[in-house]
Amino acid sequence: SGNINIDYITVKPKDRGANLPFIKYEAEYASTNATIMQYSVLYRKDIQSEASGRRAVKLDNTGQYIEFTLTEPANAMVIRYCIPDSADGQGLNATLSMYVNNVHSQGIQLTSKYAWVYGEYPWTNNPADGKAHHFFDEVRLIFSTTYAAGTKIKLQKDSGDNAAYYIIDFVEFENVPSSISQPSNSLSIIDYGATPNDGTDDKQAIINCINAAKAQGKIVWIPSGVFDLSGEPITVDNVTIQGAGMWYSVLRGSGAAFALNGNNCKFYDFAIYGNTTQRIDSAPETAFDGNAGTGSI
């Protein structure tokens, strides 16, 4: 019984639990001229009830900002945020301005498309059903340079940032290493027709590369870039798929998924971005599904 006060400040994950490469900065402890949303556990009522530490910072007027001071060098950032949903529940897109040492750097693209669900389980995308929750999403970006410790990174609602509000839960800053080089014993998906960053469907090229790699006892290599996949998950067994790093090699789309069907299914160093906007437990859009047998990673 009684009150317990817990302070969440800047936490280095390596100091607690797993040894991770990023540093987490809680928004409510950053420098801000905006509203600090106070502690609440009122689920489906207060957005901050879903925030880390049950507090967050809300930017809802032009010129409001939240500013973080790097305690270690960083060249990448993840933002956990909430912006309003669109009236039809299909998602709102908006920018948020980023400044480095008070100099405008870029507009960060945000969306509510993958947040905000309504009604009863398994939930809908219809705001008229009420009982909204699942407010937060995350966005990541890698900078063109590495910023030194002491650099000030500001997120600010400027006149062109047209969401009614921006709620920031926390940010994570990381010093991402260089991309991984292609292993010698590997086949590149590009050599089988995949083309990065062009929005075309690369699924068949990846399937062809997987089949060839299995036949030759080699690794499937996903180089840097974004590769789009549609349709059903790719069924795999006894194959190793390696990327250039989770910040560099990306599989994206409703078909960016693997159905595991045996032993020795191994996946390393790439990211998967699906396209799921509602909860359908029977749907295969789960990144990895099926039977990960002996030797799988």
Side-chain angles (χ1 to χ4, degrees):
S1 62
N3 294 323
I4 299 176
N5 294 321
I6 301 175
D7 284 341
Y8 295 85
I9 314 178
T10 298
V11 178
K12 297 181 181 180
K14 65 183 180 182
D15 295 333
R16 299 182 186 177
N19 185 13
L20 300 174
F22 56 83
I23 299 175
K24 177 180 175 182
Y25 298 71
E26 289 286 355
E28 59 267 26
Y29 290 97
S31 174
T32 184
N33 63 352
T35 301
I36 297 177
M37 305 172 76
Q38 294 305 309
Y39 182 92
S40 174
V41 293
L42 296 178
Y43 177 57
R44 290 185 170 179
K45 183 177 185 296
D46 289 339
I47 290 175
Q48 69 268 34
S49 70
E50 292 186 9
S52 171
R54 316 293 185 181
R55 294 196 290 171
V57 172
K58 184 177 186 179
L59 316 176
D60 56 2
N61 288 304
T62 299
Q64 289 187 334
Y65 67 83
I66 178 170
E67 187 174 67
F68 304 90
T69 302
L70 297 182
T71 60
E72 292 186 8
N75 63 3
M77 174 172 63
V78 173
I79 307 169
R80 188 169 193 255
Y81 69 92
C82 169
I83 61 174
D85 202 6
S86 60
D88 62 1
Q90 297 305 300
L92 174 75
N93 298 320
T95 57
L96 179 61
S97 297
M98 172 181 158
Y99 291 76
V100 179
N101 292 328
N102 287 318
V103 177
H104 185 269
S105 173
Q106 61 181 297
I108 302 171
Q109 298 291 328
L110 306 180
T111 184
S112 65
K113 179 178 179 178
Y114 303 103
W116 292 87
V117 295
Y118 306 92
E120 301 294 339
Y121 176 86
W123 307 303
T124 75
N125 285 330
N126 182 14
D129 291 337
K131 298 182 178 180
H133 63 290
H134 189 61
F135 301 116
F136 286 93
D137 198 358
E138 294 185 0
V139 64
R140 71 176 189 176
L141 56 155
I142 192 163
F143 307 139
S144 60
T145 189
T146 299
Y147 294 116
T151 301
K152 296 183 181 298
I153 307 292
K154 180 190 293 183
L155 304 177
Q156 180 167 295
K157 178 175 167 45
D158 285 347
S159 58
D161 301 326
N162 59 4
Y165 60 77
Y166 300 79
I167 297 174
I168 308 300
D169 180 8
F170 60 75
V171 298
E172 294 164 346
F173 287 104
E174 182 173 346
N175 202 14
V176 176
S178 300
S179 59
I180 300 167
S181 299
Q182 180 176 351
S184 57
N185 187 37
S186 65
L187 302 177
S188 174
I189 63 173
I190 287 181
D191 293 335
Y192 290 81
T195 52
N197 309 316
D198 67 349
T200 62
D201 196 337
D202 299 298
K203 182 177 180 180
Q204 191 57 51
I206 294 175
I207 291 173
N208 293 343
C209 186
I210 288 173
N211 292 337
K214 285 179 62 178
Q216 300 176 41
K218 294 186 176 181
I219 296 168
V220 175
W221 170 248
I222 305 175
S224 295
V226 178
F227 300 90
D228 292 279
L229 293 85
S230 63
E232 296 296 311
I234 298 172
T235 300
V236 294
D237 70 286
N238 289 287
V239 66
T240 297
I241 301 179
Q242 165 81 52
M246 58 172 275
W247 285 89
Y248 300 103
S249 301
V250 178
L251 302 183
R252 180 180 67 185
S254 59
F258 294 94
L260 312 185
N261 189 37
N263 299 329
N264 299 310
C265 298
K266 300 179 180 181
F267 308 89
Y268 303 92
D269 300 311
F270 63 92
I272 291 179
Y273 278 76
N275 199 32
T276 300
T277 58
Q278 62 188 98
R279 179 164 181 165
I280 305 176
D281 290 348
S282 61
E285 303 165 357
T286 53
F288 298 99
D289 196 8
N291 176 29
T294 301
S296 296
I297 298 175

